[in-house]
Amino acid sequence: MTNISRTMKELDPLIDFVRSQFHEPEAFIPLHDPRFIGNEKKYLEECIDSNFVSSVGEFVGKFERMCADYAGTRYAVAAMNGTAALHVALQLSGVRRDDEVITQSLTFIATANAITYTGAKPVFLDVDRETMGLSPDSVARWLSDNAEMRGDSAYNKKTGRRIAACVPMHTFGHPVKIDRLAEVLDSYGIPLIEDAAESLGSLFGGKHTGTFGKAGILSFNGNKIITTGGGGMILTDDEELAVKAKHMTTQAKIPHAWEYVHDMTGYNYRLTNINAALGCAQMETLDQFIALKRDLAFRYREFFRESEFTFFDEPEECRSNFWLNVIITKDRKRRDEVLEYTNSRGVMTRPIWELMNRLSMYRDCQTDGLENSVWFADRVVNLPSSAYIEGYGKGKTR
Ligand SMILES: *Cc1c(COP(=O)(O)O)cnc(C)c1O
């Protein structure tokens, strides 16, 4: 037996442990899959029976109200996915062509793409070791080196561009140090837009992620903590932003009984009634999912205490939804061994995303040292994290 396969064999207890958590001695275990245990079928049937399946219907408004109430914002505006929600939130926060928008390099591609759709250039800064999310210290340092105030707006001295917004992302559901970040941005007059796509149900100091700045966005893609099939939401307390977001996501049509008059180039970003119906049912079971996921995280934490791996825990003062559980390996070589062996044994694991500034279209963007981002990129392994519900999926062809 070669050395490699011996070190791989040491991973058998990990595989056995994951399998025991999902009571699946043999079958493939996905990273994260949805659970439909509530009123999903009932609400979908209501859509079909009423014939309201598309752009009109009562579920969209209901779903928006449920999300706003849950997050504690005054308004929530639905969109067809989280990326579209972020695009509109940025545009309505005043981000324009040739502006700069600060975000983290360690994020899912949608964050950077939504910034790019506005014509702005992303600036990729480092994350904190405690949160895996945008570091307020990195932002403060970069701003103090690069920014100057012209009137109420911050400009980049070197590029001459306006620094129009900052988009932190709550990685895998772990909240960033959002209070400190908000403070830093405030002192430069830079709007804060949170990418809370992964952190529905995650709290910082008891307050829901996505509610600390001008706007925040959620995603209801199939792999998120709850799903609408595909969907997104803009959270905000700003009435004007909410009204404009509704307008902009629905082709910017002026309400009228029959005339087709539109007052700007809007988007067809609306969420359909069918998707929203699914969302209403999923929202009803969200707290149950969070409890199950936190239980699973607790058991992973205990298991990895005695292992070569470090379990990534929720940051201080936070409640994380533990959307995807994370272990940290000692280096990239070990990460690759873990990925290779677990996946070959039917236990789905994944690395974290390639850093944005390493992708061809974002290679020329400004960055800072990215020390922690590189550290995580070499070491993160995501473990299967679905909510386990006894008997779920058994006897169904899924
Ligand atoms: C899922 C996700 C989004 C939005 O994704 P959609 O598939 O467009 O709903 C945005 N940012 C992050 C970090 C995400 O994980």
Side-chain angles (χ1 to χ4, degrees), residues 290-327:
I290 292 171
L292 288 167
K293 289 166 74 67
R294 289 185 59 81
D295 282 351
L296 175 61
F298 177 84
R299 292 191 297 271
Y300 273 139
R301 179 191 298 131
E302 294 307 304
F303 177 76
F304 288 112
R305 233 180 255 290
E306 303 293 318
S307 82
E308 60 168 292
F309 307 112
T310 307
F311 177 75
F312 192 90
D313 218 327
E314 62 193 341
E316 273 174 40
E317 293 181 71
C318 295
R319 181 187 81 162
S320 174
N321 67 4
F322 285 99
W323 172 52
L324 290 185
N325 287 285
V326 168
I327 52 170

Side-chain angles (χ1 to χ4, degrees), residues 42-309:
K42 177 169 174 264
Y43 295 166
L44 286 174
E45 216 166 86
E46 281 176 41
C47 288
I48 290 165
D49 289 346
S50 69
N51 235 16
F52 287 118
V53 295
S54 187
S55 51
V56 182
E58 63 177 14
F59 284 112
V60 176
K62 257 190 203 164
F63 185 43
E64 288 174 335
R65 199 62 256 152
M66 286 175 96
C67 289
D69 288 347
Y70 192 88
T73 51
R74 288 179 63 204
Y75 307 98
V77 179
M80 68 178 183
N81 59 53
T83 313
L86 185 54
H87 176 200
V88 167
L90 286 166
Q91 201 164 320
L92 290 177
S93 302
V95 177
R96 297 285 174 266
R97 179 159 300 281
D98 294 329
D99 284 341
E100 290 179 359
V101 174
I102 298 168
T103 188
Q104 60 208 55
S105 184
L106 192 72
T107 186
F108 177 58
I109 190 71
T111 318
N113 284 347
I115 292 168
T116 306
Y117 299 161
T118 66
K121 310 279 180 236
V123 174
F124 297 115
L125 301 186
D126 206 6
V127 296
D128 276 318
R129 280 285 268 272
E130 301 83 14
T131 69
M132 270 185 294
L134 188 61
S135 164
D137 294 333
S138 300
V139 173
R141 208 172 306 124
W142 188 84
L143 285 171
S144 106
D145 289 347
N146 293 280
E148 68 182 12
M149 296 306 291
R150 296 186 200 158
D152 292 340
S153 297
Y155 280 77
N156 186 324
K157 287 185 285 201
K158 294 169 187 163
T159 61
R161 294 193 186 112
R162 193 171 67 104
I163 304 163
C166 176
V167 185
M169 196 279 280
H170 304 287
T171 308
F172 304 135
H174 299 299
V176 309
K177 297 171 185 170
I178 193 72
D179 58 344
R180 167 98 175 93
L181 181 62
E183 239 172 62
V184 171
L185 297 172
D186 239 19
S187 65
Y188 287 88
I190 298 172
L192 166 62
I193 316 292
E194 291 169 79
D195 183 342
E198 305 183 352
S199 64
L200 176 59
S202 296
L203 312 176
F204 180 98
K207 189 166 149 64
H208 200 283
T209 49
T211 68
F212 286 80
K214 197 164 177 59
I217 69 99
L218 302 172
S219 165
F220 309 107
N221 188 37
N223 64 344
K224 296 298 195 312
I225 189 162
I226 65 165
T227 187
T228 58
M233 193 68 72
I234 300 169
L235 302 172
T236 187
D237 287 327
D238 182 333
E239 182 172 5
E240 191 187 336
L241 192 148
V243 169
K244 283 185 175 165
K246 194 69 190 177
H247 189 59
M248 194 182 256
T249 51
T250 55
Q251 304 278 34
K253 183 179 180 293
I254 310 247
H256 188 279
W258 57 80
E259 300 275 18
Y260 296 104
V261 180
H262 307 257
D263 62 354
M264 62 180 289
T265 306
Y267 301 103
N268 185 12
Y269 277 179
R270 73 178 91 231
L271 188 73
T272 72
N273 203 44
I274 282 203
N275 294 116
L278 212 51
C280 288
Q282 289 268 285
M283 278 303 283
E284 291 168 356
T285 52
L286 172 59
D287 280 334
Q288 214 175 321
F289 294 164
I290 292 171
L292 288 167
K293 289 166 74 67
R294 289 185 59 81
D295 282 351
L296 175 61
F298 177 84
R299 292 191 297 271
Y300 273 139
R301 179 191 298 131
E302 294 307 304
F303 177 76
F304 288 112
R305 233 180 255 290
E306 303 293 318
S307 82
E308 60 168 292
F309 307 112

